[in-house]
C-alpha cells in the first residue's frame, strides 16, 4: 500500500512515531513525510539529527518548512539542527516531489 502524505503531529513524540513507521519508510511507501520538531515532549531527549539521518538512509531528503511556503534543505551531515526551536519538516524520496521541493528551497 502506498501512502501519499504521512503527516505526524504528536506534540513532541514525532521521532518515536517515525521509528514505529520504520518498515513503511524503508519500503518508501510514504511519498511525503511531514513532522513537527520543537523542544517539547520526547524531543527533549530525541535527536533530530538521528531522525533525519535515518530518513536519509531510507532515501528521503528533508527540508525545513517556512511559514510562507518556502523550504530550506536539512542536510543530515551538517550541524544545523540546534538552530531552530520549532519547525515543521517535510521529506520525500519521490523525484517529482523533490524537484518541486528543490524549486522552493531558499537555502
Amino acid at each position: 500500500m502506498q501512502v501519499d502524505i504521512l503527516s505526524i503531529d504528536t506534540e513532541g513524540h514525532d521521532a518515536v512515531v517515525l521509528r514505529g513507521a520504520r518498515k513503511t519508510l524503508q519500503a518508501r511507501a510514504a511519498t511525503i513525510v511531514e513532522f513537527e520538531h520543537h523542544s517539547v515532549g520526547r524531543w527533549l531527549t530525541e535527536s533530530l539529527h538521528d531522525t533525519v539521518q535515518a530518513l536519509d538512509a531510507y532515501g528521503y531528503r528533508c527540508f525545513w518548512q517556512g511559514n510562507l511556503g518556502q523550504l530550506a534543505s536539512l542536510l543530515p551531515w551538517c550541524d544545523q539542527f540546534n538552530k531552530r526551536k520549532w519547525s515543521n519538516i517535510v521529506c520525500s524520496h519521490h523525484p517529482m516531489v523533490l524537484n518541486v521541493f528543490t524549486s522552493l528551497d531558499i537555502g
Side-chain angles (χ1 to χ4, degrees):
M1 175 185 284
Q2 185 68 27
V3 175
D4 291 328
I5 300 174
L6 174 60
S7 183
I8 302 166
D9 184 358
T10 56
E11 301 308 321
H13 295 66
D14 304 54
V16 177
V17 173
L18 287 165
R19 273 199 309 277
R22 184 185 87 254
K23 289 182 181 179
T24 298
L25 297 170
Q26 284 176 328
R28 294 186 187 174
T31 302
I32 297 171
V33 177
E34 179 185 38
F35 62 96
E36 190 176 57
H37 175 263
H38 46 67
S39 55
V40 175
R42 290 289 295 269
W43 281 123
L44 293 171
T45 57
E46 297 286 341
S47 166
L48 178 59
H49 184 264
D50 291 348
T51 301
V52 171
Q53 279 190 320
L55 287 162
D56 182 67
Y58 303 149
Y60 288 82
R61 183 170 170 209
C62 296
F63 298 81
W64 296 107
Q65 287 181 280
N67 292 334
L68 302 175
Q70 71 276 29
L71 300 176
S73 292
L74 180 54
L75 305 174
W77 54 88
C78 292
D79 185 23
Q80 57 179 306
F81 294 93
N82 294 321
K83 293 183 179 180
R84 299 176 187 222
K85 299 265 185 227
W86 176 90
S87 186
N88 280 344
I89 297 165
V90 62
C91 312
S92 184
H93 62 83
H94 194 282
M96 288 177 27
V97 173
L98 289 174
N99 283 340
V100 172
F101 286 179
T102 302
S103 74
L104 299 171
D105 189 345
I106 60 168

